[in-house]
Amino acid sequence: MTPAEPRAVSGRATSAEEIAKRRYLESTGRRRFMHFWADFIRRRPLGTAGAVLIIVMLLAAAFANVVAPYDPTAINFPDLLKPPSPEHLLGADNFGRDVFSRVIFGSRTALLVGFSASLIGCTLGLVLGVASAYLGGRTDQIIQRLMDVLLSFPLIVIAIAVVAALGTGEDKIANVIAAITVPIVPRVARVVRSSALSIVQMPYIEATRSVGSGAIRIMFRHIVPNVLAPYLIMLTAFLGQAILLEASLSFLGLGVFEPTASWGLMLRGAGMQFLEQAPWLAIAPGVAISMAVFGFNLFGDSLRDALDPRLRTG
Amino acid sequence: MVLAACTQTAKPPTTTVSPSAAGGEKPVAGGTLTFIVNAEPPSFDGHRETTFALLHPIAPHYSLLYKFDPNDLTKVIPDVAAEQPAVSADKMTVTIKLRQDVKFHDGTGMTSEDVKATYDKIIFPPTGVLSPRAGAYAVVSAVNAPDKYTVEFKLKYPSASFLTNLASPWNFIYSAAKLKADIRFYEKNIMGTGPFMYDGNTKGQDWKGKKNPDYFGKDKDGTKLPYLDAYKALIITDANAGVTAIRSKQAMIEFRGFTPSQRDDLSRSLPNDLAIQEAPWICVNYVVPNTTKKPFDDPRVRRALTLAVDRWAGGEALSKTTIVKDVGGLMRPKGPFAMNDTDLVKIAGFGKDAKANKDAAKKLLADAGVPTLSFKFLNRNIQTPYEPVAVYLIDQWKQVGITATHDVKETSAYQADLRAGTFEVALDFNCDFLDEPDLQLAKFGSASKAGKGLNFAYYDDTKLDGLIDAQSRETDPAKRVKLVGDIERYAMDEMAYQYPVLWWYRIIPYLNTVRGWKIGSNHYTNQDLTTVWLAKK
Amino acid sequence: MRRYIVGRLLLMIPTLIGVAILTFVIMRAVPGDIVALRYAGSSVPQSVIDQERHILGLDKPMWAQFVDWMTSISRLDLGQSLWTGHSVIDEVQVRVPLSIELAVLATLFAVALAIPLGVVAAVRQDTWIDYAIRVFSIGGLAMPSFWIGIMMVLVTLTLWGWAPPVVFTPLFDDPIANLAGLILPAIAVGYRYSAVSMRMTRSTVLEVLREDYVRTARAKGLRESLVVVRHALRNALLPVVTVVSLEFAFLIGGLVVTEQVFNLNGIGKLLVDAVAHRDYPLIQALVLLLAAVFVIVNFVVDMIYVVLDPRIRYA
């Protein structure tokens, strides 16, 4: 959001928009930051709504112990399949466990998987994309081929392979995160590469190189900051997708397992089996997933609009 | 004496009264039965496969030597045999006379050569031919065909279970000529003597059979069987899709079993069109501690694991949502070899005082030096009923201070772990087509000998082997039950090697136009559809 | 230009070989054995299992198996399924029409939804219509498609007592039955893919609407709708086509869960079953097939780019 160097703008630098933008760049960093967000909240209600959803989710995950009325794994047969009531806000599942508590704790799994997979995947993709664009030539081609190979691999095969290959790790979640990270990397690398390519061709990069700066220095100090915008946008977008992928994998039986509280797992298990008898078992986690992904997507969407000068209105 | 083993005087499985089981209706010929199978048969050879997914669509094309009576599933009746077998005085030769009116679907007549070729393939498979059940016939030394319609089995010793083993649903009678031309012919082709002829199949989707006009079978009034004109098996793997299919009447019945909630969903949505049959199932899950891994080599720890589980409460609660129900020992509860409840509750883990049992478990763990035992619990990633059973077990163990981490793997990886012995404690399973101790106790033989490939607790115990062998040779049913009881006490309580959790329960909701099919305690036998007919609405 | 095309075509080969090697290695590194799986729960002696593995060629060293497979591929022989014994080609070709049809239907639905909605959202940027459309479209991205599918079946069942036919009828045998079976899954999948395309449409139309030539058209006095359709849309379509085509390529591989839920006998379900069975030849063939589709679609898209936008020329 705060580019380290002035962005090389195109020849048409005289419109009012561009002038206003230069003024932005001239003010101090912190004020810029605050202005940006104030503007964001004011002008982008959808994105703000998304941000609110995300914050709610983060708080629920952080304070799950406090917010959730019951232990999510506490079996309580007398409450088997009870519909929503004051004791069980979202009903109880086929073990008498409180659905509301499981949804709250499920946000932990979702956020853990989402953040980890997205962060690792996007960062790896960023590195590969920038390296590919800058180094060019043979390296570029090889990395491209590798990315193509990964892209064309069906997720199911990756998931089973990762889950089986990582063996009996203490924490099954690591397997799921690893499996989800794999499809993210090539997608990010592709986008970052095409962004970086346009920057690599700029004269000032050539100038820096001729001065004698090392490749890594150039890549990190000059190129990476300028592709941060698409990177951040994809980070939020893939966060949502990662949560969805976890749900799909759990649905196929390749994700986390009982009795862990996870939205995808809740959908697969009780959600599917008791669809008519106890629809709240499917609706609650489905809505939770939707709200989470919604939030991240709305926010990321509006963030992209905010960061892209060409799309500003008025 | 031997014939007594054929006609088991056991209580038949309980069923809810439904139009098809209540007699008095006259069967009507015609119609096509559509039913659901939830997997595709890998190959078409019954001798080679072990999955019900083969039997349900393909069994109607073939006959057996003997089969279970569709009207009384505990009785064995002749199929292509002409009468009950004749056993020699020394009990080492079994002679069977065959029917003379049996024809293969290609018109050729069936003779003793075909039966001999069939059983040679099953019991003495040539190289390159797989016969997973050959071991069940280890008692046979040779199969002979002394004349055109007589078959003779020579035994090495008298066996209590041999005759019912002849009714194994997998022993399709094949044509000797076809086997001679290509021993693997039947893996990809269908050519049998059964009530229905092969009428095409679409991979992954369906299987069709049509009435065999030359079938030898007749019902008790002399009407030619089968009643149906045709059948169609729909391959539907997703359980919910299966329920939807019955609900929208695109399928009439599924021969494996639904969960109680699925049955209730169907009852609610088809109040006037549904019939339900239920029966206890010869399927069970075992908790298997790996005795090669500490601390599971200590019987106290193993016994603590079983004491901690309140099976009675679990059965009651879980039977509302999944396909388990009854508490029993190593033999099916309420079956012919079951231990009665008064004796059962004395065995560790089967008592009714849950609190006392859990306290005893905690004490045992403390004595063994592992009061806060923690281990990985290996399980398959199948929802019904493996997942809920495991969730229940983990919770029960938690209450005595044991931390069991649920280690779920998809079936292939799970199998690999079991066979490699790298797990700590696993949830195993067993399904059989018959209440027969030889079958249900197969997992308990020494891992390096009789129980090889089946006993995943990996113990060797010559005493137990001796007990199992003794009951196998005991031909008096009452004495046999007593011997089996001793085995149960030894294996589950004294040594606490492996123990069942809960026995499964079979629930079959179906459209009530289907008649003439009676539920049994297993999903393997009685699938040739000879007596099934469709009522007109 | 021609050199570029030839170069791209040649580059497909190492990609596909990379996929082949990766699949081969991954699946064999993963524990699980098809023969052991087949006889789970029965007392098959180890010698018999070993014998069967030998017959199937599974006891040869990995490189030997790989060489065998590569040579048979070069003869266009994809081998036999280890599970059913039938040829891989037989197994696959029964299921391909369904998956392709589903992908096409889903894409048609997605495009029919995305383009009009995207245009409207762009033209009415920042109004409540824009917001409503964006929320609606993000719904497609947010809700798990299998959940949408389940909910839809539940609704149609309870409201109208109708469920899609469980048996697939080929299109030319009975178009109505065929479409009846595929319409719900096509919507469930298509809704999701319309989201991506809608956002792309909206942003490219927004971009184009600011171009000089659009301003000129407006200044000329052209009706706004004509401006949008005749000038803006045509130029905005290029990136949209790209996205739609790329998503199509992903679609085929991503149908796995949908096919499971709706019990469709397609390639996705075949792949899941094959992986569960460790049916190596089938898995390898399917993954290669999916990768080939992906790579070819990518190439075609790039070529379409060239055709549609004369300014683009690849060095």
Side-chain angles (χ1 to χ4, degrees), chain B residues 141-387:
Chain B
S141 60
V143 183
N144 302 323
D147 67 48
K148 198 167 178 207
Y149 293 107
T150 312
V151 169
E152 190 182 73
F153 288 88
K154 290 245 176 273
L155 306 181
K156 298 176 194 156
Y157 52 81
S159 161
S161 59
F162 174 66
L163 290 165
T164 32
N165 265 335
L166 284 178
S168 171
W170 307 98
N171 299 356
F172 297 159
I173 302 293
Y174 288 157
S175 151
K178 293 284 184 206
L179 287 177
K180 194 148 160 212
D182 176 10
I183 189 86
R184 297 181 78 144
F185 172 78
Y186 281 99
E187 286 177 26
K188 298 201 193 134
N189 297 286
I190 305 279
M191 218 284 288
T193 57
F196 291 90
M197 299 168 65
Y198 175 60
D199 192 22
N201 80 310
T202 312
K203 297 194 132 300
Q205 192 161 286
D206 58 39
W207 188 284
K208 296 199 282 273
K210 60 176 189 243
K211 182 184 194 140
N212 175 8
D214 291 325
Y215 185 60
F216 59 87
K218 290 191 172 47
D219 72 3
K220 60 182 184 346
D221 297 327
T223 322
K224 246 171 123 45
L225 293 174
Y227 301 117
L228 295 168
D229 282 337
Y231 71 86
K232 190 167 176 188
L234 301 176
I235 297 178
I236 302 181
T237 34
D238 181 62
N240 275 35
V243 172
T244 310
I246 295 197
R247 200 167 156 184
S248 53
K249 301 204 184 158
Q250 297 182 52
M252 299 169 182
I253 187 172
E254 190 249 26
F255 291 116
R256 191 160 178 267
F258 282 112
T259 66
S261 2
Q262 289 168 327
R263 169 202 61 199
D264 294 339
D265 285 348
L266 282 171
S267 306
R268 254 197 309 262
S269 44
L270 295 172
N272 302 314
D273 299 305
L274 204 69
I276 305 174
Q277 290 193 52
E278 300 184 1
W281 208 337
I282 312 179
C283 280
V284 69
N285 291 108
Y286 298 103
V287 171
V288 181
N290 186 347
T291 55
T292 61
K293 293 227 186 279
K294 284 192 179 310
F296 303 105
D297 52 348
D298 185 342
R300 289 175 296 187
V301 175
R302 299 197 299 262
R303 201 176 305 124
L305 278 181
T306 181
L307 272 172
V309 181
D310 181 358
R311 290 166 167 81
W312 299 98
E316 216 206 290
L318 289 173
S319 63
K320 297 195 187 124
T321 53
T322 187
I323 58 177
V324 295
K325 188 160 177 278
D326 296 315
V327 181
L330 299 182
M331 302 302 299
R332 179 173 66 92
K334 304 188 184 66
F337 295 93
M339 188 182 275
N340 58 51
D341 278 0
T342 19
D343 290 331
L344 188 62
V345 296
K346 294 188 195 134
I347 296 187
F350 291 84
K352 295 217 178 176
D353 187 346
K355 186 163 182 327
N357 286 337
K358 289 196 163 67
D359 288 338
K362 283 192 215 157
K363 189 172 177 311
L364 278 172
L365 288 173
D367 288 345
V370 283
T372 52
L373 178 63
S374 144
F375 60 83
K376 289 216 203 81
F377 185 43
L378 177 68
N379 194 7
R380 291 170 83 177
N381 72 337
I382 299 191
Q383 281 199 281
T384 325
Y386 299 81
E387 195 181 74

Side-chain angles (χ1 to χ4, degrees), chain C residues 14-37:
Chain C
T15 310
L16 290 177
I17 292 186
V19 170
I21 297 179
L22 201 56
T23 322
F24 191 90
V25 170
I26 286 181
M27 286 319 300
R28 278 167 179 70
V30 161
D33 174 63
I34 191 170
V35 183
L37 184 66

Side-chain angles (χ1 to χ4, degrees), chain B residues 321-533:
Chain B
T321 53
T322 187
I323 58 177
V324 295
K325 188 160 177 278
D326 296 315
V327 181
L330 299 182
M331 302 302 299
R332 179 173 66 92
K334 304 188 184 66
F337 295 93
M339 188 182 275
N340 58 51
D341 278 0
T342 19
D343 290 331
L344 188 62
V345 296
K346 294 188 195 134
I347 296 187
F350 291 84
K352 295 217 178 176
D353 187 346
K355 186 163 182 327
N357 286 337
K358 289 196 163 67
D359 288 338
K362 283 192 215 157
K363 189 172 177 311
L364 278 172
L365 288 173
D367 288 345
V370 283
T372 52
L373 178 63
S374 144
F375 60 83
K376 289 216 203 81
F377 185 43
L378 177 68
N379 194 7
R380 291 170 83 177
N381 72 337
I382 299 191
Q383 281 199 281
T384 325
Y386 299 81
E387 195 181 74
V389 166
V391 171
Y392 181 65
L393 286 171
I394 291 173
D395 184 70
Q396 293 286 290
W397 287 329
K398 194 159 100 174
Q399 294 179 25
V400 298
I402 298 176
T403 316
T405 326
H406 201 191
D407 187 16
V408 181
K409 298 198 169 175
E410 34 111 31
T411 307
S412 224
Y414 160 90
Q415 279 295 318
D417 269 10
L418 279 184
R419 297 188 102 88
T422 47
F423 64 95
E424 292 174 282
V425 180
L427 190 68
D428 197 1
F429 72 100
N430 192 44
C431 274
D432 286 315
F433 71 88
L434 189 60
D435 287 309
E436 166 50 60
D438 284 351
L439 292 173
Q440 275 95 64
L441 293 176
K443 280 191 175 294
F444 287 80
S446 288
S448 60
K449 293 181 226 138
K452 197 146 187 227
L454 286 173
N455 176 348
F456 296 117
Y458 289 107
Y459 58 81
D460 275 354
D461 189 324
T462 17
K463 178 172 170 193
L464 187 53
D465 287 346
L467 289 173
I468 295 177
D469 197 47
Q471 69 76 29
S472 180
R473 291 168 192 263
E474 176 56 68
T475 43
D476 177 300
K479 288 203 192 120
R480 218 175 158 208
V481 174
K482 201 191 152 306
L483 285 173
V484 170
D486 293 336
I487 293 175
E488 289 185 272
R489 270 179 287 275
Y490 181 71
M492 289 197 291
D493 195 338
E494 192 179 322
M495 300 305 291
Y497 282 132
Q498 343 176 27
Y499 20 82
V501 186
L502 289 164
W503 286 78
W504 295 12
Y505 191 65
R506 208 169 164 211
I507 299 173
I508 309 242
Y510 59 99
L511 297 184
N512 57 17
T513 47
V514 178
R515 310 287 165 87
W517 183 79
K518 199 162 165 181
I519 192 171
S521 56
N522 69 89
H523 51 299
Y524 299 107
T525 55
N526 190 29
Q527 290 302 138
D528 64 1
L529 305 178
T530 39
T531 55
V532 177
W533 55 280

Side-chain angles (χ1 to χ4, degrees), chain B residues 40-44 48-51 126-133 135-136 184 187-188 202-206 232 234-238 240-241 244-245 247-248 250-251 410-413 415-417 419 429-431 442-443 450 452-454 456, chain C residues 30-46 48-49 51-52 55 80 82-87 90-91 94-95 98 150 153-154 157-158 161-169 260-263 265 269 273 275-278:
Chain B
E40 203 184 350
S43 75
F44 306 161
R48 180 192 155 98
E49 303 296 344
T50 56
T51 170
T127 328
V129 173
L130 269 176
S131 179
R133 287 166 290 267
R184 297 181 78 144
E187 286 177 26
K188 298 201 193 134
T202 312
K203 297 194 132 300
Q205 192 161 286
D206 58 39
K232 190 167 176 188
L234 301 176
I235 297 178
I236 302 181
T237 34
D238 181 62
N240 275 35
T244 310
R247 200 167 156 184
S248 53
Q250 297 182 52
E410 34 111 31
T411 307
S412 224
Q415 279 295 318
D417 269 10
R419 297 188 102 88
F429 72 100
N430 192 44
C431 274
K443 280 191 175 294
K452 197 146 187 227
L454 286 173
F456 296 117
Chain C
V30 161
D33 174 63
I34 191 170
V35 183
L37 184 66
R38 209 188 192 101
Y39 299 113
S42 58
S43 56
V44 179
Q46 187 59 37
V48 172
I49 293 189
Q51 182 192 81
E52 181 71 3
I55 293 175
Q80 270 129 342
L82 297 180
W83 187 247
T84 64
H86 290 105
S87 87
D90 279 347
E91 297 284 348
V94 172
R95 284 131 171 141
L98 188 150
I150 299 165
V153 174
L154 190 60
L157 258 185
T158 29
W162 178 83
V166 277
V167 180
F168 174 69
T169 338
Q260 200 91 328
V261 168
F262 286 95
N263 197 69
N265 186 27
K269 189 143 155 294
D273 290 342
V275 176
H277 293 149
R278 306 286 192 266

Side-chain angles (χ1 to χ4, degrees), chain A residues 53-88:
Chain A
L53 275 173
I54 296 174
I55 293 175
V56 165
M57 208 176 133
L58 284 168
L59 288 175
F63 298 107
N65 296 329
V66 172
V67 177
Y70 296 84
D71 175 355
T73 59
I75 294 185
N76 186 14
F77 280 127
D79 281 349
L80 201 76
L81 295 174
K82 278 227 170 88
S85 66
E87 290 94 46
H88 291 287

Side-chain angles (χ1 to χ4, degrees), chain A residues 7-26:
Chain A
R7 270 231 207 108
V9 294
S10 63
R12 296 171 286 144
T14 48
S15 67
E17 236 177 86
E18 307 298 342
I19 296 174
K21 186 178 163 209
R22 278 225 211 95
R23 291 219 193 101
Y24 253 75
L25 294 177
E26 274 142 35

